[in-house]
Amino acid sequence: MNRIDIKVGTFLALRQVRHASFLTTALIISVMTLTFLNLVVVNGILVGLVKTNANNKFYSGDVIVSPLREKSFIERSADIVRMAEAQNGVVAVSARYIESGRLEANYKTRLRQTDLINDAGGQIVGINPDDEDMVTQLSSKIIEGSYLEEGDYDQILVGSDLLFKYAQIDSPGVKTLRDTEAGSKVRLVIGDIEREVTIKGVVKAKVGEVDSRIFMIDNQLRSLINRFDYNVDEISIRLEPGADASVVKQALIDAGFDKKAKVLLADEAKPKFLQDVEKTFGLMGNLIGSIGLVVASITIFIVIFVNALTRRKFIGILKGIGISSRAIEFSYVIQSLFYAGCGTLIGLFVVYGILKPYIDVNPINFPFSDGILFVPISGTMLRVLTLMITTIIAGYLPAKLIVRQNTLNAILGR
Amino acid sequence: MSNIIEVTNITKSFKDGDRVTEVLKGVSFSVPKGQFVAIMGRSGAGKSTFLYQLGLLDHPTSGELMLDGVDILKLKSEERTRFRLERLGYVFQDYALLPDLTAIENVVLPLLMQNVPDDIAYEKSKQALMRVGLEKRMYSLSNKLSGGEQQRVSIARSIAHDPKILFADEPTANLDSESSENVISIFKELHKQGQTIVMVTHEADYGKITDRTVLLADGVIIEDTINAHS
């Protein structure tokens, strides 16, 4: 193909597009837009199911410090908290005390020892409600009752996974509390210690670590378990948006705290199964995206083929007056790029101008996560590039098929 | 006078399954430069098929074809297209204009394909349209023009690049008498200026304005007459 072919092909394509029926053009561009959305959005939602960042937002913070394997708490917790709070970009630090325990609901109505106990086990987490809320926005995840306040003694928040009302699980290994809700009195049992508490609220963050926990005021838990030092079991650190969490992590390591505790970034702290699920969904997204790409190529092929077929006579005329086959083919490639380009631009507007901002504010309420639309610019641009290359091929092939037909037959319509 | 068209024993057959139909049965024919030839005959005589072979829109089954001194049948497909683009003009019965293009764009397109600079190509196209009396409709879309106007655009397109030979396939068949007269007068004018023209027509009257009338029947030339006025 030489410069003249490109010039004449462009000349033809521009005029064909300009004088094409508005409705036909709109229809083709709509098909292209939907094809683009199929390519980007389906994949984005699928990956967005697990890329919600909920673990970071509602549990770990940007950096999380936890005990070493051989320790049951974080040594020099107070020093770590102080140092973390002094770091640039750190917004809040939440130090948590954690003990295993369980809740009993029918302790007042159970008459015999053989009666079934209505109980559920979980981690009892002592928090400073204000600090915790600044780090994990826990108060925004209350689905029943209200959030804890300082001084709320004998009151707890219960994760939704511990209530049968929200987690209809009925297996001997996983027990949930029946007929229990915000306002119910339950017995909190930690080892030999028992205390009657009121459920002030129910938490549902769609993060396993949060939804299976029982939260109470840290001072009360400390006194219940007779912990007299200030060493805690978990420290979550929240940074300003855009701040580099690895800098904070490195500062803690440089101060030697990695000898006292595990210092991890949010992503590193994600459970292995969650990382595997992310990879699996990513693969599925790519697979669906590939199918979308094949569908897109076939769509473009059909559109261009039908377009070229209906213009077979004119293609014959063009050849008849001496226009080269390459120029004619190029004109169809330009047209298909025009349609795909318009469809892509509209698709980009729909994705980044409408869908993403909307879903960011109103996540899709899936049973196990609040799905976001995961559409990183780099991934989308790669898809746009792939779509354009596919378009060039899918636009060229049908034009080539029509153009190679006998000139006279095309002109005479035989 | 040298011959610009030399046809020797051309045949053209069409296959339909096992059946072979021979439309041209060994036609030999030559045209000197500047001659205006009318090819006539009844429907099915093979005159359009003959013109398609001469205009390089089709490929003969056998025979020899020399146009402007070039052995056409030895050219590759792309070379034939190039030859048609640069040296031939073709006026179709149904005008064969591109509906997405304006009159001037239809005319300029073959010139752009010949790599004529844009300004010169458009100037030549304007002149061609002026020669056929369409200077006021240059920027109208071709499908908005009347049949006569479309045929004149088709003629302008075929002459804008000063072709060596102009072929016309029943150029007035779809036109009313006034438009037909216009078209024929354009051909007469072109002929006066030395243009070689080969025109297929049904109209016996056009024999009066051409130099020569060739009568085809059943795929062979049965009569070849030099007209008295030439």
Side-chain angles (χ1 to χ4, degrees), chain B residues 61-194:
Chain B
T61 308
S62 67
E64 285 177 24
L65 173 59
M66 300 279 286
L67 296 180
D68 198 22
V70 177
D71 188 347
I72 296 300
L73 302 185
K74 286 186 177 163
L75 298 181
K76 291 175 187 165
S77 172
E78 284 294 312
E79 290 168 334
R80 277 207 303 278
T81 303
R82 194 79 203 165
F83 187 91
R84 193 164 60 226
L85 174 73
E86 289 172 351
R87 301 200 213 180
L88 307 183
Y90 206 102
V91 180
F92 295 86
Q93 183 178 336
D94 64 352
Y95 332 128
L97 298 179
L98 297 156
D100 302 322
L101 309 188
T102 60
I104 196 165
E105 286 169 345
N106 265 286
V107 177
V108 85
L109 189 57
L111 295 170
L112 296 179
M113 192 72 226
Q114 288 178 56
N115 202 20
V116 176
D118 285 13
D119 50 346
I120 297 172
Y122 276 95
E123 189 52 40
K124 279 188 160 192
S125 303
K126 277 182 191 170
Q127 283 170 11
L129 284 164
M130 284 164 73
R131 282 169 80 179
V132 298
L134 273 181
E135 59 272 26
K136 289 184 179 161
R137 305 301 306 269
M138 281 184 195
Y139 301 104
S140 301
L141 276 179
S142 60
N143 57 6
K144 304 285 182 205
L145 301 173
S146 70
E149 288 171 330
Q150 289 192 46
Q151 192 58 292
R152 282 190 278 159
V153 175
S154 175
I155 295 169
R157 179 178 63 190
S158 65
I159 61 171
H161 59 295
D162 302 319
K164 296 288 171 85
I165 311 163
L166 178 61
F167 297 102
D169 186 7
E170 303 203 38
T172 60
N174 294 334
L175 303 179
D176 58 31
S177 55
E178 191 186 336
S179 299
S180 298
E181 269 180 37
N182 275 336
V183 167
I184 291 302
S185 64
I186 293 167
F187 280 115
K188 278 161 72 177
E189 188 57 37
L190 288 169
H191 175 46
K192 258 192 214 170
Q193 292 162 10

Side-chain angles (χ1 to χ4, degrees), chain A residues 38-50 276-292 368 383:
Chain A
N38 179 45
L39 206 58
V40 174
V41 175
V42 173
N43 179 67
I45 287 179
L46 200 57
V47 178
L49 270 173
V50 287
D276 289 345
V277 168
E278 272 184 25
K279 278 183 194 161
T280 307
F281 275 55
L283 280 173
M284 279 169 67
N286 286 337
L287 186 68
I288 290 174
S290 308
I291 295 169
F368 65 93
R383 283 180 169 76

Side-chain angles (χ1 to χ4, degrees), chain A residues 202-250:
Chain A
V202 178
V203 179
K204 184 170 186 177
K206 295 183 181 174
V207 174
E209 282 78 359
V210 178
D211 294 350
S212 60
R213 284 181 164 184
I214 299 150
F215 296 90
M216 66 190 305
I217 299 296
D218 50 3
N219 288 343
Q220 185 173 19
L221 181 62
R222 287 179 69 232
S223 64
L224 275 177
I225 60 175
N226 292 320
R227 183 173 286 180
F228 302 112
D229 58 28
Y230 284 93
N231 286 329
V232 296
D233 301 282
E234 202 169 78
I235 300 168
S236 286
I237 303 167
R238 173 66 61 206
L239 272 63
E240 286 168 359
D244 188 352
S246 57
V247 173
V248 175
K249 176 188 168 183
Q250 195 55 48

Side-chain angles (χ1 to χ4, degrees), chain A residues 7 43 82 123 170 189 229 235 246 256 284 320 322 372 379 386:
Chain A
K7 181 180 170 181
N43 179 67
R82 261 196 303 279
Q123 287 184 319
D170 202 1
V189 182
D229 58 28
I235 300 168
S246 57
M284 279 169 67
I372 57 164
T386 315

Side-chain angles (χ1 to χ4, degrees), chain A residues 104-118:
Chain A
E104 271 182 44
N106 65 342
Y107 61 97
K108 280 184 179 166
T109 53
R110 200 156 56 93
L111 300 173
R112 290 173 295 276
Q113 273 203 324
T114 50
D115 287 348
L116 278 177
I117 305 175
N118 179 13

